[in-house]
Every structure is written in C-alpha cells, then in structure tokens.
Amino acid sequence: MCSTLRTRAQAAGLAACAGLLGCAPALDWRDVRPEGSALQLQFPCRPTTQRRDVPLAGARVNLALHACAAGGQTWGLAVADVVDPGRVGPALAELADAARGNLGASAGQPLALKVPGATPNDASIRLRLQGRLPDGGAAQMQLAVFARGTQVFQATVLGPTVPDAAAETFFASLRLPA
C-alpha cells in the first residue's frame, strides 16, 4: 500500500513538474538603471525608452518613459527633471492627478510607499486605482510618485487586473543610492 501511494505521489510530482516546464514564466525580473537617473529598480520585462517634451508644473520638461508589457500588464517608469525645487511637489501632484484622470478614477486607495534614497515630499504617494480605459474596458493601476532632488518619478503598473504580489515586487525594488 505504501509503495502504491509513493508511486502515485511520484507520478503526480512528475506531472506537475512537466506542466511547469511546459510554459515560460510570464514575469522575467531584471535589474534596470534608467539612463540619466540614479534610480535602480526591477522590471518584469525589457523596457523600451521614449522621450518627449511635456508641460509639467508650469514648465516644459523632457520626460523619459521606460515601459514594457508582461503578464497582461504594462509596467512603466516616467522620469523628468523639473529643475526648480519649488516645482517638485506640484509636479508629483500633477503626475498622480493625470493617472487618476486617464482612468476616470476617484481618489484611489493609498498604499505604503518607501523608496530608499528618495527626497521626502508631502506629495509623494502610492495608490491603487480602478477605472476604465479609453476603449471602455475595466482597468486597475498601481502607481507611485516620488522625487530625488529635482528629478520626479512615476512608477506604474496598469492592466485589467494588477496582481498584488507582482506589483509589490516592482514597487519594493525602487531604490536610490544614499
């Protein structure tokens, strides 16, 4: 009887292993250091970078967007230098408000935000948002806005759903050197 149970357990284990080997992981975490910033983080895919000039906190700034798609979500990091320390707080607030507006979301649910090396700022925040995409599809987003000196950052995960464990891996990886 014991050998039959052991054989069944071994067969079940082999079947489970074969099932796991049959599919590649959806999230392939890698360390990324965006050019032009001291930030280090992990993306679950290889991000591409686009740059454009945008109005932010009363001035035109060059914004770099690093983004990729994996696991049914879009993962992104926007970085801009607002030059003037007086524009940092308003820029962070504008980034968070724009994200809410893009989804038609309400205030959102605040989440803990700790980015080692970030400059303390009352406008730094991490949120969970629910809303709709322009095509009407339901969407969830988690985002964090924070700063280091005059550089402002917005880290974002967007998808039909945002798995908490994957989002936590992404946001917990954010770090700036001391």
Side-chain angles (χ1 to χ4, degrees):
M1 176 101 171
C2 286
S3 67
T4 303
L5 288 176
R6 189 174 337 128
T7 303
R8 285 184 186 164
Q10 288 172 340
L14 287 173
C17 287
L20 289 174
L21 293 174
C23 56
L27 304 179
D28 182 15
W29 294 100
R30 63 198 67 221
D31 287 329
V32 175
R33 293 178 185 203
E35 185 179 331
S37 84
L39 185 71
Q40 299 173 18
L41 73 156
Q42 289 190 328
F43 269 95
C45 42
R46 186 176 312 278
T48 59
T49 303
Q50 296 180 1
R51 293 182 174 278
R52 64 181 179 176
D53 288 337
V54 299
L56 187 61
R60 287 205 70 76
V61 299
N62 187 265
L63 182 117
L65 176 61
H66 311 276
C68 60
Q73 293 82 34
T74 300
W75 306 79
L77 175 73
V79 182
D81 191 334
V82 296
V83 183
D84 178 358
R87 291 200 307 251
V88 171
L92 294 174
E94 281 183 33
L95 289 170
D97 288 345
R100 284 186 199 100
N102 288 340
L103 289 182
S106 62
Q109 175 189 6
L111 301 170
L113 174 64
K114 181 171 175 22
V115 180
T119 303
N121 190 296
D122 290 342
S124 294
I125 192 167
R126 181 171 167 204
L127 295 171
R128 177 182 288 126
L129 304 173
Q130 298 214 6
R132 300 233 168 252
L133 297 173
D135 68 4
Q140 292 182 356
M141 177 188 286
Q142 285 193 34
L143 77 120
V145 294
F146 57 96
R148 169 77 177 258
T150 59
Q151 238 178 11
V152 295
F153 301 88
Q154 179 186 22
T156 308
V157 183
L158 171 69
T161 61
V162 174
D164 285 334
E168 192 55 39
T169 297
F170 181 65
F171 291 107
S173 77
L174 299 167
R175 60 198 177 281
L176 290 151

